[in-house]
Amino acid sequence: YWIDHALAGAASPPGTMITAGNSTQIERTSSGVCAKSDYELFDDEHMSTDDFVDLLRAWRGEVVALQAKRDPTRPEHAPYQRNPLA
């Protein structure tokens, strides 16, 4: 999952791009992470690393739970739905 890639990136040194897509990139900073717009559509948004990791772990738990239940609102995952960076 891209979430796993982002979780691993949270331990990266400052200046590392953790993930990017949909005109936004998330970068590791000295105090946490920062979401930045590729096209200046919004101001940079900062979050502590601990909050970021907690959020991603909770989100991943929800995704895994939905997949385990075979959520009928989601089609089977095709290979192209994987994060190419992982």
Side-chain angles (χ1 to χ4, degrees), residues 29-50:
T29 66
S30 60
S31 61
V33 298
C34 180
K36 300 179 178 189
S37 172
D38 291 339
Y39 306 106
E40 299 179 9
L41 299 174
F42 59 84
D43 293 335
D44 292 355
E45 295 190 25
H46 301 268
M47 177 183 285
S48 74
T49 306
D50 289 343

Side-chain angles (χ1 to χ4, degrees), residues 1-62:
Y1 307 113
W2 75 266
I3 299 169
D4 295 326
H5 178 76
L7 280 167
S12 299
T16 302
M17 182 175 28
I18 295 173
T19 191
N22 295 330
S23 73
T24 302
Q25 57 183 300
I26 299 175
E27 181 179 303
R28 181 71 169 88
T29 66
S30 60
S31 61
V33 298
C34 180
K36 300 179 178 189
S37 172
D38 291 339
Y39 306 106
E40 299 179 9
L41 299 174
F42 59 84
D43 293 335
D44 292 355
E45 295 190 25
H46 301 268
M47 177 183 285
S48 74
T49 306
D50 289 343
D51 287 347
F52 182 66
V53 168
D54 289 346
L55 174 73
L56 289 176
R57 285 183 179 153
W59 192 350
R60 187 182 191 288
E62 291 294 321

